[in-house]
Amino acid sequence: MEPDMEYHGQGMDAGGNNFDSGQQPQEQELATKMLQIQSKRFYLDVKQNRRGRFIKVAEIDDRTGYVRIGADGRRSQIFLAMSTAAEFRDHLSSFSDFYSSLGPPNPDNVPDDGKLKSEMMLKDNRRYYLDLKENSRGRFLRVSQTITRGGPRSQIALPAQGMIEFRDALTDLLDDFGTDDGGFKGELPEGRHLRVDNKNFYFDIGQNNRGIYMKVSEKVKSNFRTAITVPEKCWTRFRDILADYCDKMCRAHQQNAENHQGGPIPGGSGVRGGPSQPAPSSSDIDTFSCNVPNRI
């Protein structure tokens, strides 16, 4: 790839996978840095979406201009929340100091797995494994990202000689954009409980790397619940649909009550089937449960 060749990034997020299957959250690119380390080209992109800021690190395939895909099918990219990027930056200093103390490679003194030093970082449901390794091509730092709920592993391999340069590039970005991940940091509402006849419903508000959500569960047995999870971004629409159904059912109950009482007799004040009774007004109807007073 020529130096001015366009870099094609994929619309991903800090989790390293498509957060919302189907539509991608709107994403804004705030800054980018390109590093050429030996024969490898890396891009460090600061991005922002509704869940906060993060840094995408990608190794680019010179032939295609896209993120390189290894022989094992893994993408050569990782996603770091800003706070995780700061932790990674600090580890790079430690790994670089250790690398400097090793001296020249000694093929007769290499561990069986090739690992010289290892560390692990944990952020929400993601784990990052940092392994300084040595093989026949030299020494390099492999950074692997995994997701605890499953999904493909992604990784980058950074030549050991470039760790300081990589650290300095990360430092520049963190100096400009800080180590705050962004996103919601306020106090979430407390859970609620609703009992209807012999049913118990629970409303719990939570937050994870995908954002804020409401879990609505029904207690079926003493130790078992069925549940749905509603993302915060669609609460308003969820409420509007429920309110629309409540409104329609209230009108249906009102009409049903009028039908049971009978309609007005033309030319008279009474109704068929009994003495005249006023139809229930909208104020008589519980618009949430759609209960209508029994007047029959």
Side-chain angles (χ1 to χ4, degrees):
M1 181 173 70
E2 296 299 325
D4 58 350
M5 192 179 209
E6 182 181 1
Y7 155 52
H8 303 279
Q10 283 77 18
M12 305 283 279
D13 62 21
N17 69 319
N18 297 322
F19 256 33
D20 300 313
S21 56
Q23 294 184 345
Q24 292 292 333
Q26 187 173 2
E27 206 169 72
Q28 179 185 6
E29 186 169 301
L30 305 178
T32 187
K33 277 184 175 290
M34 190 275 287
L35 294 176
Q36 185 73 44
I37 301 176
Q38 296 181 350
S39 61
K40 290 176 174 280
R41 188 186 300 263
F42 297 92
Y43 277 85
L44 286 70
D45 301 323
V46 181
K47 295 175 175 282
Q48 179 174 289
N49 60 26
R50 64 182 176 85
R51 286 176 292 279
R53 290 180 178 174
F54 60 94
I55 296 179
K56 172 186 175 181
V57 180
E59 181 184 345
I60 304 306
D61 189 323
D62 288 344
R63 298 168 299 174
T64 65
Y66 287 89
V67 175
R68 192 177 72 84
I69 299 178
D72 56 2
R74 295 175 182 171
R75 290 182 178 272
S76 296
Q77 62 184 16
I78 59 171
F79 296 83
L80 303 161
M82 303 304 284
S83 59
T84 310
E87 184 180 352
F88 180 43
R89 183 263 318 272
D90 295 339
H91 278 306
L92 284 173
S93 295
S94 174
F95 273 83
S96 181
D97 290 342
F98 178 80
Y99 167 71
S100 299
S101 69
L102 290 177
N106 182 358
D108 298 327
N109 192 29
V110 178
D112 293 338
D113 59 0
K115 291 182 182 179
L116 304 173
K117 177 178 171 65
S118 296
E119 293 288 349
M120 191 269 284
M121 301 186 301
L122 180 64
K123 174 67 175 180
D124 296 330
N125 68 332
R126 297 181 295 280
R127 293 177 183 269
Y128 301 86
Y129 298 93
L130 285 59
D131 298 305
L132 182 62
K133 303 190 71 175
E134 182 177 327
N135 60 22
S136 58
R137 294 188 296 271
R139 292 168 177 165
F140 60 95
L141 179 66
R142 186 181 67 188
V143 185
S144 303
Q145 173 188 312
T146 63
I147 303 174
T148 55
R149 66 175 181 274
R153 175 190 289 243
S154 57
Q155 64 184 32
I156 61 171
L158 177 66
Q161 297 91 327
M163 287 191 291
I164 290 297
E165 184 179 357
F166 200 96
R167 180 203 64 186
D168 292 345
L170 266 182
T171 299
D172 289 343
L173 293 174
L174 293 170
D175 285 346
D176 290 340
F177 296 96
T179 60
D180 188 350
D181 299 331
F184 182 81
K185 290 183 171 59
E187 185 175 349
L188 296 176
E190 293 184 359
R192 303 280 296 272
H193 168 238
L194 171 66
R195 181 177 177 84
V196 182
D197 298 330
N198 64 339
K199 289 181 174 288
N200 288 280
F201 298 95
Y202 300 87
F203 302 81
D204 298 298
I205 310 301
Q207 182 177 15
N208 57 22
N209 63 297
R210 292 172 177 259
I212 298 171
Y213 61 88
M214 176 191 298
K215 184 172 74 173
V216 183
S217 58
E218 178 187 356
K219 189 173 183 180
V220 179
K221 297 179 181 179
S222 59
N223 60 346
F224 178 73
R225 294 186 187 183
T226 59
I228 61 170
T229 301
V230 185
E232 183 198 15
K233 64 181 180 182
C234 66
W235 285 1
T236 301
R237 180 62 179 149
F238 195 89
R239 176 202 62 192
D240 292 345
I241 292 173
L242 184 60
D244 183 57
Y245 278 121
C246 288
D247 201 37
K248 289 178 178 178
M249 289 306 301
C250 288
R251 290 197 296 269
H253 281 299
Q254 184 175 1
Q255 183 63 46
N256 187 58
E258 291 174 353
N259 290 341
H260 276 78
Q261 294 163 13
I265 299 176
S269 60
V271 295
R272 292 190 300 271
S276 175
Q277 295 184 25
S281 67
S282 59
S283 60
D284 293 328
I285 303 174
D286 183 337
T287 56
F288 185 81
S289 63
C290 298
N291 290 328
V292 179
N294 183 4
R295 293 179 175 169
I296 301 175

